[in-house]
Amino acid sequence: MTGLRHIKRQRIHEAISTAAITLFLERGFGAVSVAEVAAAAEVSKPTLFKYFATKEDLVLHRIADHQGEAARVVRRRGPQEGPLDALERHFLAGLERRDPVTGLNDHAEVLAYHHMVFSTPTLAARLFHYMAMDEEALAEALAEGADDLTAPLLAGEVLAVQRVLARRNWRRLAAGETAARVHPEAVRAARHAFALVRNGLGAAWAPGDMEPR
C-alpha cells in the first residue's frame, strides 16, 4: 500500500506540475492564479499547497529536481578523480545529452521555460534560494577534503561558472542557433571556465590589466 500511495502522490504531483507549466507558458506566470492551476489539475487549492509550498515552486521544482546534484557528484567520484575534475566531467556529460540545466536544449518548451524563469523577478528571486542551498550542500561535500574557507569559496565559484555557462548557452539558442551548432563551442567554453577555476580566475589578468588575457 505504501508503494501505491507513493505512485499516486507522484501522479498528482506531475498532474499539478504539467497543468501549471502549460498555463504559465500560455498566459504568463503573473496572469495565472494558483486557483486556476488547481482547477486545471482537478485538485483543491489546499491539496496543491501540500505538494508545492509556493506558486514559484510550481515552476522551479523542475530545477529543484537537480538539488544537491553537484554535491552528489563530488561524493560519488572515483578515488583517483579530483572534485573539480568530477564536476567538469558531469557538466560536459550534461551538454552531450542536452540536459536543460546546462542551457543547451533547443526544445521550444524548454526555451520558453527558461525565458519565463529568467524574465520573471519573483521566479529569479526564488531561484537564488535554491542556488544558495545547492552551494551550501556542495561546500559540505568539498569540506570533507578541504578547509572551511576553501570549500565554500570553491563551491561558490563552481556553481557561478555553471550558471554563467548555462545562461550563455540559452541566450544563443534563444537567438535562433541550434543546440547541435552551439555544442562544440559550449564544450570549449566549459573547459576554459573550469580551467580558470583551477588556475585561479585572477590568473586571467596580468597585473594592472583591465582586460583578460
Side-chain angles (χ1 to χ4, degrees):
M1 289 299 294
T2 301
L4 291 174
R5 281 197 294 269
H6 178 67
I7 292 172
K8 183 179 179 181
R9 285 184 59 85
Q10 283 187 315
R11 287 176 177 170
I12 295 173
H13 184 278
E14 186 59 30
I16 296 171
S17 169
T18 300
I21 297 297
T22 299
L23 287 172
F24 292 151
L25 291 180
E26 285 179 354
R27 295 163 48 191
F29 181 76
V32 179
S33 68
V34 172
E36 288 176 296
V37 173
E42 299 182 340
V43 298
S44 67
K45 191 173 175 180
T47 295
L48 182 148
F49 280 119
K50 288 180 181 178
Y51 289 85
F52 298 93
T54 69
K55 181 182 178 183
E56 288 73 21
D57 289 337
L58 288 165
V59 175
L60 297 176
H61 83 91
R62 293 190 177 183
I63 294 173
D65 286 346
H66 290 270
Q67 198 72 44
E69 188 169 84
R72 289 191 293 274
V73 168
V74 168
R75 288 196 168 102
R76 294 173 183 174
R77 73 189 191 280
Q80 304 303 317
E81 188 176 34
L84 199 55
D85 292 332
L87 290 164
E88 180 180 4
R89 169 181 53 77
H90 182 73
F91 190 83
L92 291 173
L95 292 175
E96 182 65 32
R97 66 176 181 270
R98 307 296 192 262
D99 190 332
V101 80
T102 67
L104 195 67
N105 186 303
D106 53 10
H107 189 283
E109 183 175 322
V110 174
L111 291 174
Y113 173 86
H114 281 139
H115 179 268
M116 175 173 62
V117 171
F118 296 145
S119 63
T120 306
T122 56
L123 290 175
R126 184 66 172 168
L127 181 59
F128 273 102
H129 168 73
Y130 285 111
M131 288 162 49
M133 291 192 296
D134 239 6
E135 187 174 316
E136 184 176 343
L138 178 56
E140 288 177 2
L142 292 169
E144 296 168 11
D147 61 72
D148 61 358
L149 175 60
T150 301
L153 287 174
L154 182 56
E157 282 191 13
V158 169
L159 294 182
V161 160
Q162 293 182 346
R163 183 172 67 252
V164 169
L165 290 171
R167 183 76 69 95
R168 186 172 184 265
N169 293 335
W170 170 75
R171 282 175 175 159
R172 291 187 64 178
L173 300 186
E177 295 186 71
T178 66
R181 180 174 181 177
V182 173
H183 178 256
E185 170 56 26
V187 169
R188 286 192 292 271
R191 286 176 173 158
H192 177 65
F194 276 92
L196 286 175
V197 174
R198 280 190 190 86
N199 300 325
L201 289 171
W205 279 265
D209 282 354
M210 293 301 291
E211 296 294 334
R213 295 177 183 172

